Structure formats: C-alpha cells, structure tokens
Amino acid sequence: MIKQDLSPALQSLHQEVKHYLGRGRTSSPFLATARPVIGITANSTEYGSSLALAYSEAVIRSGGTPVILPITSDLEALTHLLRGVDALILSGGSDLYPLYLDEEPLRGLGEVKPERDRYELLLIRLAASMCLPILGICRGHQLLGVAYGSTLFQDLVSQYTIELAIDHSPSIPKTMAAHKVSLSGLPNRLGELLGIDTQECEELYVNSLHHQALREIKPPFTELAIASDGINEAIDAFPELDILAVQWHPEQMVLGGDQTQLRLFEHIVRRGELYRRARRFHREHLTLDSHTDTPMCFTPEFRLGDYGPTLVDLPKLELGQIDATVMVAYLPQGEVNNEAHQEARLYAEGKLRELHHQVSLYPERARIARSAEEIRQAQREGLKAIIPAIENGYAIGEDLSLLQYYREQYGIVYITLCHNGDNALCDSARKSQRTHGGLSELGRAAVREMNRLGIMIDLSHAAEETVADVLEITTQPVIASHSSARSLCDHPRNLTDEQIRAIARTGGVVQICLYAGFIHPEEAEASYLHAVDHIEHVIRIAGIEHVGIGSDFDGDGELVGCRSSEDLIRITMELLDRGYDEEELSLIWGENLMRVLEQCQAGH
C-alpha cells in the first residue's frame, strides 16, 4: 500500500475500517450471515430520488440494510430492484394523484407527483406477486389502501367536517406524539407487534403529519387502529397479503428515541429475514407440487408460457420458485360401461397429448419429466419439470393394458384410483354407492400391475375400504397426492390419523391439499396458516418423512394467502417461522415424494 500523508481525520477513518475488517473478530465480516435488505421507496425532488434519513436509520437500528429504490416506471428495472431486496417499505410524501381515485381534484389537494404514484403502484403489484413483505408509512399507508380499492379523503379539512375532528397535521415536532389512536375492539396484531396488551392498554400515542387519509377500507385490508375522531390510522392485509401499514411516521419517533415504534421496523426486518431464507431455500433445494389440474383448463387459446387466468403456468412457477409440478389429466366420473370407458380414454389421451404439446412450446423453460432423475436433471438445468399423471382410474376402464400404455406413451407417474363416484376399480370417498366394498377384483389386479410397472398408487378420493384394501396388498409405498387430515377438518375426503399412519408404514407420503373445504370447517377462513397446521399434524403422528404439498390448484385448491403457484413460498416462510430447518423443509417440499417415486420406479 502506498503511504501518503493523510490528515488525522482520514487516518482515524482508515483505522476504524481496519478494525472492523479483522481486529477483535472471530471471523471475517464477509463470511457473516447477510442482513435482510429492506428496499425503501424514494421521494421525488428537484434533485431526483431522495429519502429522509430517519427511514434508513430506523432500518439499520432494527438489524436491516436499507436500500433506496430510485423512481422509474421501467417494469424490468423495478423487477430487478425487487429481486435484490427482502422486504419493502413505502415511505411518506406528496398527495395522491386523483386520477387513480377516479375523482376530480378538490380544493385543499396539495402537490401531487404522478410519476411517483405510478412507480409505487407498479412496485406494490410486483412486490405482491413476489410475496415480498411490505410496510406502508403515511402516504404509503394511503397508497396501499387505494391500490386495493379503498377510498381516500383528498383533504381532511374540507371533507371531514365532524364537530370533534382533530388536527392531523399540527405544528408539533415530528419526533413527538401528537394524538392518540385506539386499538379497542379491533384486530390486535398491531398491538402484538408493538408489545401492547390491548386488554390493559388500548391506546397508543403517535405523531401526525398528514391531511389525506383512507376513507372506506376495502378487502383485503382490515382496520387495526383509529384516531379519536374516527380517522383510520392502521390497516393490515395478513394473512391474505404480508402487508401492514400505519398512517403516522414511526421512523421519526424512532429518531426521537421511541423504542415502541422501533418494533414496527423490527417486524419488517424479521419478515424480510424469513423471506430471504425462504427464497434461498427455493433456490438451492428441489420444490415439487404433487397435484395440479391445469390441463382441465386447456383451451385453444391457452399457453402454458403466458401469465394467464390459471393458478399454475410457467410465469407463476417461476415467480414462486417452484421447480416441479404434477399436472394431471382429470376425468369426472361418468357411466361405467364400454362406450363411456372409450370416451374416457379418448378424453384422457387428449389432455395428456396437449400437456406434452404445451411443454414442447417452451423448451428453454420447461420439459416433461417421467422419473425422479429427469425431475432432478430439469432442476439442474434451470427448467421447470412438468410431470404427467392421471386423476381417476376411470381412464383405463376395464383394460389394464392401458396402464403400461399411459406409462410408456405419456410418462405418467401416478394414477388416482378414483374421483367422486365409484368406477370399475374401486369405491370412492364421495358419491359412492359402495359398489365393490372397496377394491373390485379388477382394482386388485390394477394395484398389482401398477406395482409391477412402477406407477405410484394415489389414494386421494378413495373410500376408507378402498384405502384399506390397497394397503393390504400393495408391495410398494403409496401416496395421497392431495389430501389433508380429518382430525383437523372433518371431511370424508380427508384421511383419518390411522390411515395416515398406515400410509406411512408402507413408506408412503401424504401430500397436504390446499382446498379450503379440506383445511378448515369455515371455508372462507381457511388460510395457508391452517394448511401448515395440517402439515404439522402429519409430522406429529407419522413423522416428517411422510408429508408433502399437493396444492390442487386449478382443481378448486386455493386458500387465503396462497391462491396460486406464485404464493407457495409463503408456506415455506411459515414453516421457517415455526422452526423447521432446511433439511426438514427439503423433505416436505419434495424429497419425501421423490423417495417414493424412486422406490416405485426402481428397476423399471
């Protein structure tokens, strides 16, 4: 190093860096665990994109690394920016452009900056599609509400004229409290985050620097806090979205020494840490969804490579970082006779042919995978593995030779023995006439032939007697590709604890279904958090080696907070939050099912 004459001030700075880089440390700072990166939206000034110091300081004090996101409407640039952060803070600033409210500008409207509005509204949609945790502050709180349909007071002074209206923009220092907000009678997640016992203390004192405010709160948001005059002060979209927003400026109160307000930033940093870990897991480990019904949605216009109305397509798999998905040719149960069986075969073949065709259109993004090794090879090459299967043994009618045909011609890896209604093979859990009392003689022969051919037997939809018969005669592990626990949700399609244990004893796996009616007795309330409860239930009674995830997307599978393949990373975040490590996650997210597939296909 060339020595130069340096001022004492520069020498002091150099010594500070040298000390940080090695002196007194047990390891290099470059090897330390990375801190969550928190992107913060910028304000628009005459000098360009800028940000008040208090935001970055609050993030740093909370253990995060702040990054200012420059203002732009370039979607590709914004996407790359968001890929580099673990959470997003929407900062305060100017008024909202009335065009986004479908309103005329009213007297009292302050300065608007449409370019900033557009940039942040684009960021909100992109961040939500990536499942990024979001914290909104003041203007950010208002913008989040408007982005999802809530209405806004353009100017409180002229529009909110009740007798006891308070001044929401008083001449009080930013770092000091200006008025109180009430959490009474409202959802208390905010109180939990701030460490406030809402049973004993229902009020919180906050600063106030706004003249616009949310008016009517629309879903997915709920109201968490209100001022004494009824103006909204906080909203929450959890568990539908990982979004929390407050009307005040907690960063300024943190700057003034308020440790309670610091907890809001500790919350977003903690959520960012979970997101960072989840994203790393999905990048480094195989993730496999064992059941989707997307071929049911095929139309002449459908393209697997487009972001479309289906819950599963290549863009959503890419956003959700899901490596592989089983796409089934689903057949509704019809008449059991020769003519109907022929129609069922033609229908199944049509769906399987189109699935192969759709994948062939995107050789640089996906490939058909017929085996565990082909799934792993696709992952190594950065391609999505699309795995064919059949839902409903109705597709084979009474012709067992079709088992080998479907396996060799289309690469199916499993067959769900039945759907809703009995077929020639077995009785179903629903709409059953108890035709066979379980497996028919043909069904018993089909189980033996599937064992011989290396086709996994899927017990989802099967009657209890059918499940018992299969478990008695199978020589290979079996799966339930999309079923949940009856102990947690009493539905005939779900498996009893004894059935789950019995499947585990074969070496098999139960893939938790994300259909609301199988997850929670109150379907409208069923969320991905409840799905994780089902995963944990199977772990408790059968072991972590016997559970996985089969979404049933595009076949009515959909939960609050997990509505498509792009949302599945939220299940990973919740499992991490409940203490599961990467090795355990890898079992749940695919290795358990891969083990069964490898064992069934061994020698074939």
Side-chain angles (χ1 to χ4, degrees):
M1 180 177 179
I2 299 174
K3 293 184 178 181
Q4 300 179 13
D5 291 331
L6 300 177
S7 69
L10 283 174
Q11 290 182 38
S12 176
L13 284 173
H14 289 191
Q15 285 300 116
E16 185 178 345
V17 172
K18 287 174 65 177
H19 178 75
Y20 171 76
L21 291 177
R23 293 185 181 181
R25 300 181 66 95
T26 57
S27 65
S28 166
F30 299 114
L31 300 178
T33 302
R35 290 157 57 118
V37 177
I38 312 300
I40 310 174
T41 59
N43 198 3
S44 177
T45 71
E46 61 181 308
Y47 304 108
S49 300
S50 65
L51 186 71
L53 177 66
Y55 291 102
S56 55
E57 183 62 26
V59 169
I60 291 170
R61 291 187 190 182
S62 301
T65 299
V67 173
I68 301 174
L69 304 179
I71 296 172
T72 178
S73 291
D74 186 307
L75 281 167
E76 187 171 355
L78 291 174
T79 300
H80 281 284
L81 285 169
L82 289 179
R83 285 176 181 162
V85 304
D86 304 311
L88 177 65
I89 293 176
L90 295 165
S91 62
S94 57
D95 286 2
L96 273 61
Y97 187 31
L99 175 68
Y100 291 117
L101 308 169
D102 195 24
E103 294 179 359
E104 299 293 329
L106 302 181
R107 288 189 178 91
L109 179 69
E111 181 184 17
V112 299
K113 297 181 177 179
E115 73 282 359
R116 182 183 176 187
D117 291 348
R118 175 174 167 78
Y119 139 82
E120 285 185 307
L121 287 167
L122 291 172
L123 276 177
I124 288 169
R125 288 300 180 182
L126 287 172
S129 72
M130 297 167 68
C131 297
L132 271 168
I134 302 175
L135 173 65
I137 293 175
C138 196
R139 165 196 157 87
H141 162 270
Q142 299 160 11
L143 197 66
L144 281 163
V146 168
Y148 287 92
S150 296
T151 58
L152 186 80
F153 289 109
Q154 288 189 42
D155 176 55
L156 284 173
V157 174
S158 61
Q159 289 184 277
Y160 195 65
T161 56
I162 67 169
E163 184 178 354
L164 298 178
I166 66 174
D167 186 354
H168 286 272
S169 188
S171 298
I172 296 175
K174 298 177 182 179
T175 57
M176 299 180 64
H179 66 79
K180 62 185 178 183
V181 299
S182 174
L183 311 180
S184 177
L186 300 169
N188 64 6
R189 192 167 90 107
L190 180 63
E192 294 171 3
L193 294 177
L194 296 178
I196 297 172
D197 186 346
T198 55
Q199 300 301 315
E200 297 182 7
C201 177
E202 299 174 343
E203 295 176 342
L204 173 71
Y205 283 84
V206 300
N207 59 10
S208 194
L209 298 136
H210 65 102
H211 82 108
Q212 293 193 318
L214 290 178
R215 189 170 194 164
E216 182 182 3
I217 308 302
K218 297 286 186 68
F221 291 107
T222 56
E223 192 166 52
L224 295 187
I226 56 173
S228 60
D229 61 359
I231 289 297
N232 175 266
E233 290 285 339
I235 56 174
D236 189 11
F238 193 83
E240 184 67 81
L241 299 167
D242 201 345
I243 299 177
L244 176 70
V246 297
Q247 179 58 76
W248 62 91
H249 277 267
E251 80 288 352
Q252 293 292 344
M253 299 185 76
V254 169
L255 208 60
D258 191 322
Q259 294 302 302
T260 296
Q261 298 294 333
L262 184 65
R263 292 176 178 173
L264 282 170
F265 295 92
E266 291 172 343
H267 160 73
I268 196 65
V269 169
R270 183 170 62 253
R271 297 302 297 177
E273 170 65 9
L274 287 172
Y275 183 79
R276 183 184 68 83
R277 292 174 59 197
R279 191 166 57 177
R280 182 184 66 194
F281 170 82
H282 280 251
R283 188 168 57 247
E284 297 177 357
H285 296 269
L286 176 71
T287 51
L288 193 163
D289 180 351
S290 66
H291 191 93
T292 65
D293 286 282
T294 310
M296 185 168 61
C297 306
F298 288 168
T299 65
E301 297 77 28
F302 179 85
R303 290 295 179 269
L304 188 63
D306 293 345
Y307 191 103
T310 55
L311 305 188
V312 186
D313 51 39
L314 293 183
K316 295 183 183 74
L317 292 170
E318 290 157 356
L319 280 166
Q321 294 182 267
I322 301 301
D323 297 309
T325 187
V326 178
M327 291 192 175
V328 301
Y330 155 73
L331 290 86
Q333 184 59 45
E335 296 291 326
V336 180
N337 56 53
N338 289 337
E339 183 179 354
H341 287 158
Q342 180 62 19
E343 291 177 0
R345 172 185 173 175
L346 293 173
Y347 182 86
E349 285 205 75
K351 292 299 183 183
L352 291 168
R353 274 197 303 270
E354 181 59 22
L355 176 61
H356 278 253
H357 171 67
Q358 287 290 332
V359 175
S360 74
L361 297 175
Y362 307 98
E364 74 289 352
R365 297 168 70 186
R367 73 162 52 134
I368 291 289
R370 302 164 177 256
S371 66
E373 177 51 36
E374 289 183 7
I375 294 169
R376 295 192 192 281
Q377 183 60 33
Q379 182 202 19
R380 286 192 290 267
E381 295 179 21
L383 302 174
K384 300 304 176 188
I386 308 300
I387 309 159
I390 292 175
E391 183 176 19
N392 196 351
Y394 190 45
I396 67 169
E398 298 182 5
D399 184 356
L400 296 188
S401 70
L402 288 176
L403 292 169
Q404 185 167 350
Y405 173 76
Y406 287 131
R407 172 67 189 142
E408 293 178 353
Q409 183 69 21
Y410 300 108
I412 65 162
V413 299
Y414 71 69
I415 295 179
T416 313
L417 291 181
C418 59
H419 195 254
N420 294 331
D422 306 339
N423 59 26
L425 303 179
C426 65
D427 293 342
S428 169
R430 299 186 67 197
K431 301 182 180 180
S432 175
Q433 302 300 313
R434 295 298 183 261
T435 306
H436 312 290
L439 282 174
S440 67
E441 286 304 315
L442 180 71
R444 290 174 180 272
V447 167
R448 289 189 286 269
E449 182 67 356
M450 290 169 72
N451 284 165
R452 186 185 73 83
L453 293 170
I455 300 172
M456 291 189 294
I457 298 168
D458 177 18
L459 294 177
S460 292
H461 288 283
E464 290 189 28
E465 299 86 350
T466 300
V467 173
D469 286 349
V470 170
L471 293 174
E472 181 182 352
I473 65 174
T474 184
T475 59
Q476 295 289 355
V478 298
I479 69 169
S481 71
H482 59 302
S483 295
S484 299
R486 197 178 298 183
S487 289
L488 300 189
C489 184
D490 189 8
H491 192 288
R493 258 284 281 113
N494 283 343
L495 298 170
T496 67
D497 286 358
E498 181 48 42
Q499 287 175 320
I500 293 169
R501 293 188 188 101
I503 289 171
R505 284 194 292 270
T506 73
V509 61
V510 174
Q511 304 286 111
I512 297 301
C513 181
L514 306 187
Y515 175 71
F518 305 159
I519 290 295
H520 195 277
E522 299 295 330
E523 290 190 33
E525 298 177 13
S527 79
Y528 75 98
L529 303 175
H530 299 116
V532 176
D533 293 340
H534 282 256
I535 292 171
E536 290 200 300
H537 180 76
V538 176
I539 292 171
R540 281 193 298 272
I541 68 170
I544 199 166
E545 298 84 3
H546 303 289
V547 68
I549 298 165
S551 70
D552 202 20
F553 285 150
D554 291 321
D556 290 333
E558 185 177 352
L559 298 173
V560 172
C562 192
R563 299 193 180 277
S564 72
S565 293
E566 64 189 359
D567 299 330
L568 287 170
I569 195 171
R570 299 193 70 193
I571 291 178
T572 309
M573 290 177 66
E574 181 62 19
L575 287 165
L576 286 167
D577 201 26
R578 298 191 190 190
Y580 293 90
D581 61 30
E582 290 194 7
E583 182 178 354
E584 292 168 325
L585 286 176
S586 69
L587 296 175
I588 296 167
W589 258 123
E591 291 303 331
N592 287 335
L593 187 69
M594 292 287 279
R595 180 193 70 241
V596 176
L597 180 58
E598 287 170 340
Q599 184 171 337
C600 288
Q601 290 188 346
H604 296 283

